Amino acid sequence: MVFQSRMDCRSSGYQAPVVPHCPRSARGKRSARKKAGNHQMSAIDLLANLASKLLSERENLPRPCFNDRASSPVGVDMTVELERIGRQKSLKSEAYDQLSCNEDEHCPENFNKRKKTNDLSNHSKALQATPLGPAALFAKSEILCEDAISEESKFVGENCKIVHGFDAIQKCGTKMLDSTTVESHELNAIRSRTPFQAEEKMERDLHMSCAINSINLNGNNAVLVSSDNSSEVPFGKDKIHHKVCFSKQEDDMRPSPDKDSENSSECTPSVITNVGGKTDLPGKRMDYTRQRTQMCSFVKRKFFEYYSASTSDGGIFCEANDTWSSTKAIKSCNSSPNYHGANDAWSSTKVIKSRNSSPDYHVKLRIKSFEVPELVVEIPETTTVGSLKRTVLEAVNTILGGGLQLGVLLQGKRVTDDSKTLHQVGISHSDKLDGLCFTLEPNTKHVPEKLTCPRDPHLLSLGCATGSPDGSPPAAPSATDQLGSDATQKCVKSFRENDHDSVLSSTNASSPENQISSSLVLVAAPPPPVNAEALAMVPHRSKPKSKSCQVAQRRVRRPFSVAEVEALVQAVEKLGTGRWRDVKLCSFENEKHRTYVDLKDKWKTLVHTARISPQQRRGEPVPQGLLDRVLLAHAYWSQQQSKLQVKSLHATETLLLLP
DNA sequence: GTTAGGG
DNA sequence: CCCTAAC
């Protein structure tokens, strides 16, 4: 509870600074400073600051206190909403301003950062009690605030972003099913990449046959099951590993796709829903759909018999019905410490040496399961289960859709020469096969062209699959979010290393630092916009080579929607002008393509638009009501600023008059 | 990194 | 939307 939190932080002795915002403009406009000269103005500023400091000490200004809710611009209803939403970050900004310390309580770094950046001049802010903002003056302030909250909650709720943890999934205990059919040519392509195919052509005298035919899944349904049983899925850790299990026959454990027909159709375009929240614009859906359609069709291969989750320690993986004669427990490759946390989707291989080895020296392998890289997603509680399913499914599809190749690791070393015989590389019926592992690896050759990124195909394929929030290439920093960006790039880097290195770096893979790098961190965000303009936001860099040499590509113009304008107006009403970063964090945090500079510029044009006649206005008409609010808020905050300036000036004079 | 303002 | 000065 926000209010309670505030009280708590006070009672705990923590005293948040009272720093009503003092816009730079109030501290002296640049033009004025230029006129006056920097040195002179610096002196005045310094004096003002000193005066402010003195005055604030004298006056012992009361903290803005909203215990009397009637006086709060937030209001009772908002309190309820605040409680409901809890610690949603979108409220932090306002909490910081209106309630003084919530943000800092929840996020000390924020406070420290602010504290650090607050220079001496901030003391002058203490001269002025925290303004309630024009919203408090507006007749419909209560409604306005409620709207703001619900809008924010919607915003938060419908966006997924990167994370480190699987709480959401844990809560949902989602079972995800997908029934697809195999396209034989794809399967053949996969097969052809295995070293075993080459093996068949050679060394027939050895008559080795690998029992990898369990990969042959023709005719079976692929089913993905993710943590349908919480008891199977210890989510104690931040991450979760998924193992893919192969089995030759269908088994009873596999949930029937019919049970969950709605899920099995999740991959079809018809069920695509927008997860973009506020940016829900008509037409966007289509693009997203198209993207997903492509992805899904590409991924339509039957690859998994079933799919289950297990801990990273490899403690759990599904047991297929054993259709093999030999059921002896074989030491799993998974127990090899060398591969824990490895990036590759490597197999939890059980290598079985045939008991009744034929005279032909067959090597019998049983691939118990494949492990796909860790998936980490964060999804707000308010996200629908369907959205969660899609997110996770997309993650899986991304892995598969990018194309896979199979790697073979023997005693930790990658076996790269497909032409060598098993015998030659040391896979022999008489040798211990404990160290034989298979890895599912991203195949750069098979990444769909549309998803190919000049910089890094893997990264882009991930980003595209999960929906870049702004439609820009996911390789761009803005498309991924803090941790995710990092982790994804680490992941990609590691993928590449694995691709190029002939020997897997086992130490690297097992280091704790690489725990995260072994994951695919997803950025599930609003679907990319679809109109022509937005599509242009996703430049195929291979195409416009003409401009590639030039400095930087100008961003495509993306006109503000009425909804965005509404959000902007609301935010400015609450926060005031000159706090564009806060405005951004408050209302546009999930719209990566809107920078605070954009918001500032938009406000500027809004004020201009509101002042000109309707006939002179261009573009999508902004409701007059909104424009009125723009003028009102602008006037109010301008007044606040001028008051501040006057006060500051007065304080300076006072200080100068002092002996 | 933010903010203000001109272009 | 870009650029830059100023902080």
Side-chain angles (χ1 to χ4, degrees):
Chain A
M1 174 176 174
V2 172
F3 285 92
Q4 187 58 47
S5 299
R6 176 176 167 267
M7 296 308 291
D8 287 345
C9 72
R10 289 182 75 182
S11 61
S12 65
Y14 172 73
Q15 189 77 1
V18 181
V19 279
H21 173 66
C22 175
R24 284 168 198 259
S25 59
R27 299 174 224 155
K29 301 208 179 222
R30 181 169 60 174
S31 54
R33 285 195 300 269
K34 276 180 182 171
K35 275 184 188 174
N38 283 335
H39 299 295
Q40 191 181 353
M41 287 311 295
S42 298
I44 290 178
D45 284 346
L46 183 60
L47 288 172
N49 292 334
L50 289 173
S52 305
K53 202 175 178 182
L54 287 172
L55 284 176
S56 61
E57 284 172 1
R58 273 192 213 164
E59 295 176 10
N60 189 20
L61 281 169
R63 299 166 50 87
C65 180
F66 298 129
N67 285 340
D68 174 13
R69 287 175 181 176
S71 68
S72 163
V74 175
V76 177
D77 291 337
M78 181 171 173
T79 309
V80 176
E81 291 290 337
L82 284 171
E83 292 175 13
R84 192 156 63 94
I85 297 175
R87 290 168 50 179
Q88 294 290 6
K89 188 167 186 251
S90 62
L91 290 175
K92 284 185 179 176
S93 181
E94 181 173 15
Y96 175 84
D97 299 303
Q98 305 283 18
L99 304 178
S100 301
C101 64
N102 273 318
E103 179 180 32
D104 300 331
E105 180 210 359
H106 293 316
C107 188
E109 312 97 295
N110 284 357
F111 168 61
N112 289 335
K113 189 181 172 191
R114 282 180 176 274
K115 195 178 179 185
K116 188 177 168 187
T117 56
N118 281 338
D119 57 12
L120 241 186
S121 68
N122 277 339
H123 287 281
S124 66
K125 297 173 180 175
L127 285 169
Q128 183 193 30
T130 301
L132 297 185
L137 306 177
F138 297 160
K140 53 175 186 174
S141 61
E142 295 284 326
I143 300 171
L144 192 149
C145 291
E146 281 184 38
D147 289 345
I149 295 302
S150 60
E151 191 74 16
E152 283 161 357
S153 69
K154 183 176 75 180
F155 218 154
V156 168
E158 297 192 4
N159 286 281
C160 318
K161 66 176 181 186
I162 314 231
V163 251
H164 198 141
F166 226 87
D167 293 344
I169 292 184
Q170 182 181 12
K171 283 172 187 167
C172 292
T174 296
K175 172 161 60 178
M176 187 180 67
L177 303 174
D178 187 22
S179 174
T180 58
T181 56
V182 163
E183 294 168 22
S184 58
H185 67 278
E186 289 176 353
L187 189 61
N188 288 335
I190 292 168
R191 283 168 150 182
S192 70
R193 289 195 294 275
T194 70
F196 304 104
Q197 187 192 39
E199 189 54 36
E200 288 173 6
K201 300 174 188 170
M202 306 186 62
E203 297 290 337
R204 288 190 178 273
D205 54 333
L206 286 178
H207 294 292
M208 292 183 174
S209 70
C210 303
I212 303 295
N213 55 358
S214 62
I215 293 180
N216 182 354
L217 297 170
N218 274 329
N220 292 340
N221 287 328
V223 177
L224 309 179
V225 180
S226 173
S227 67
D228 56 340
N229 186 341
S230 57
S231 66
E232 279 188 9
V233 187
F235 285 92
K237 297 192 171 185
D238 283 341
K239 55 207 192 82
I240 173 174
H241 279 209
H242 304 268
K243 286 191 170 57
V244 181
C245 305
F246 292 82
S247 121
K248 194 173 185 179
Q249 293 181 348
E250 303 206 358
D251 60 80
D252 297 331
M253 291 175 64
R254 198 195 70 201
S256 164
D258 297 334
K259 280 187 198 167
D260 238 331
S261 55
E262 57 145 323
N263 296 320
S264 61
S265 65
E266 289 279 316
C267 204
T268 65
S270 61
V271 298
I272 308 294
T273 58
N274 173 35
V275 293
K278 193 174 276 187
T279 58
D280 185 4
L281 296 175
K284 289 187 176 182
R285 177 167 308 201
M286 202 177 75
D287 182 60
Y288 194 47
T289 298
R290 194 183 315 155
Q291 194 177 57
R292 285 185 49 101
T293 304
Q294 185 208 23
M295 173 65 72
C296 292
S297 65
F298 187 86
V299 173
K300 271 194 181 173
R301 63 191 64 194
K302 183 185 288 179
F303 214 76
F304 297 133
E305 188 61 24
Y306 54 83
Y307 179 87
S308 75
S310 74
T311 67
S312 59
D313 295 3
I316 297 177
F317 44 85
C318 27
E319 292 287 338
N321 278 357
D322 197 349
T323 62
W324 299 58
S325 59
S326 172
T327 56
K328 276 222 164 185
I330 307 294
K331 183 181 175 186
S332 168
C333 222
N334 205 19
S335 62
S336 165
N338 286 350
Y339 300 98
H340 283 255
N343 254 331
D344 290 327
W346 65 284
S347 64
S348 168
T349 314
K350 298 199 171 184
V351 183
I352 298 179
K353 284 180 66 178
S354 177
R355 295 179 76 187
N356 48 350
S357 301
S358 72
D360 298 335
Y361 300 123
H362 285 199
V363 175
K364 197 166 187 175
L365 306 174
R366 177 180 179 183
I367 299 177
K368 193 68 179 178
S369 65
F370 275 85
E371 180 177 324
V372 298
E374 171 186 316
L375 305 174
V376 183
V377 298
E378 177 185 345
I379 302 178
E381 291 177 1
T382 47
T383 299
T384 63
V385 175
S387 177
L388 168 67
K389 289 175 181 176
R390 285 187 293 276
T391 301
V392 177
L393 183 59
E394 280 184 349
V396 175
N397 285 345
T398 300
I399 298 170
L400 301 181
L404 287 174
Q405 61 184 14
L406 193 69
V408 176
L409 299 165
L410 189 59
Q411 306 298 344
K413 292 189 176 180
R414 178 178 291 266
V415 181
T416 52
D417 191 348
D418 288 355
S419 64
K420 283 187 177 174
T421 69
L422 297 185
H423 187 71
Q424 284 173 333
V425 299
I427 303 174
S428 125
H429 76 287
S430 58
D431 289 337
K432 282 191 176 182
L433 296 177
D434 295 3
L436 179 59
C437 292
F438 300 97
T439 62
L440 292 179
E441 301 157 353
N443 184 356
T444 51
K445 297 171 191 169
H446 285 73
V447 172
E449 201 169 37
K450 188 173 180 181
L451 300 180
T452 299
C453 167
R455 272 193 265 172
D456 194 310
H458 297 137
L459 183 57
L460 184 55
S461 69
L462 292 177
C464 283
T466 53
S468 165
D470 59 354
S472 60
S478 65
T480 51
D481 209 344
Q482 323 87 9
L483 167 65
S485 179
D486 261 11
T488 306
Q489 292 188 18
K490 275 189 189 172
C491 177
V492 166
K493 185 185 171 197
S494 197
F495 272 142
R496 286 177 147 183
E497 286 169 358
N498 290 340
D499 279 344
H500 299 314
D501 293 353
S502 61
V503 176
L504 183 69
S505 167
S506 55
T507 52
N508 186 36
S510 59
S511 69
E513 184 189 79
N514 279 279
Q515 296 269 324
I516 183 84
S517 71
S518 68
S519 18
L520 290 176
V521 181
L522 305 176
V523 186
V530 219
N531 51 40
E533 260 183 353
L535 284 175
M537 281 295 291
V538 193
H540 283 257
R541 291 187 198 183
S542 54
K543 196 169 52 178
K545 285 282 183 187
S546 57
K547 216 170 183 185
S548 61
C549 298
Q550 298 181 12
V551 196
Q553 210 161 12
R554 183 187 175 96
R555 288 193 299 157
V556 173
R557 184 174 166 270
R558 303 180 74 170
F560 276 71
S561 66
V562 173
E564 284 177 310
V565 171
E566 164 87 26
L568 176 60
V569 171
Q570 271 185 14
V572 174
E573 283 173 347
K574 281 191 291 185
L575 302 170
T577 54
R579 307 183 59 187
W580 303 111
R581 180 179 168 275
D582 291 337
V583 169
K584 159 75 178 171
L585 293 178
C586 175
S587 297
F588 291 83
E589 189 175 13
N590 291 319
E591 297 190 58
K592 304 295 181 192
H593 60 288
R594 300 294 188 204
T595 68
Y596 48 74
V597 175
D598 293 334
L599 302 178
K600 185 257 308 175
D601 288 343
K602 181 57 184 176
W603 184 260
K604 185 172 65 175
T605 59
L606 273 177
V607 171
H608 177 255
T609 303
R611 284 172 174 166
I612 62 177
S613 68
Q615 293 77 21
Q616 292 175 292
R617 296 170 190 164
R618 294 184 301 173
E620 187 181 9
V622 179
Q624 187 58 41
L626 271 181
L627 292 176
D628 293 342
R629 286 167 63 187
V630 167
L631 287 182
L632 203 53
H634 187 258
Y636 173 85
W637 287 108
S638 299
Q639 190 187 20
Q640 290 299 122
Q641 289 177 12
S642 56
K643 275 185 187 174
L644 194 63
Q645 276 180 316
V646 168
K647 240 177 182 175
S648 179
L649 189 65
H650 179 67
T652 307
E653 288 170 354
T654 307
L655 185 67
L656 290 172
L657 291 176
L658 285 177

